Amino acid sequence: MQNDMLRLKVFPVIVFIILIFAVSIFIFRPARSDTTGTLDSFAQCLDDNGFIIYGAYGCPHCQREKAAFGDSFKYAPYMECTEGPGTAQCTTAGMRGYPT
C-alpha cells in the first residue's frame, strides 16, 4: 500500500518533467533558414512589383531578414542605406528605421 502511494506521487511528477522537456524543445528549437533558393520566385515578385527592402549593414533585424531569404536574397530588391549611392535614395524615401 505504501508502494502504491509513492507511485501515485512520483508518476505525475515524472509526466510533468517529460511534458516540460517536450514543450521546451518545441519553443527553443533553432530557427529554420531557407538556404535552398525556394524563395526565388517570391524575391523576384517583390522586385517585379516595385518593392524595395531598405536596410543597414549593422542592423541585426536586417541580418535576420537576409538570413530568412537564404540564397534567394540575391533576387530581392535590397537597398543599403548606410553607405554608397543608396544613402541618398533612402533619405529621399524618408527611411527612418530598418528594415523597411
Side-chain angles (χ1 to χ4, degrees), residues 31-94:
R32 289 181 52 208
S33 176
D34 174 54
T35 58
T36 60
T38 57
L39 294 176
D40 290 356
S41 61
F42 176 66
Q44 290 170 341
C45 178
L46 290 174
D47 191 33
D48 292 345
N49 287 292
F51 286 90
I52 299 173
I53 302 170
Y54 295 97
Y57 287 121
C59 168
H61 304 293
C62 300
Q63 298 304 320
R64 282 194 296 274
E65 230 15 66
K66 290 177 184 179
F69 272 93
D71 292 339
S72 300
F73 191 74
K74 62 186 171 199
Y75 300 112
Y78 178 76
M79 178 64 59
E80 175 58 44
C81 292
T82 57
E83 49 184 57
T87 306
Q89 186 174 348
C90 293
T91 302
T92 302

Side-chain angles (χ1 to χ4, degrees), residues 23-34 64:
V23 169
S24 64
I25 287 174
F26 178 74
I27 291 173
F28 298 110
R29 71 184 183 276
R32 289 181 52 208
S33 176
D34 174 54
R64 282 194 296 274

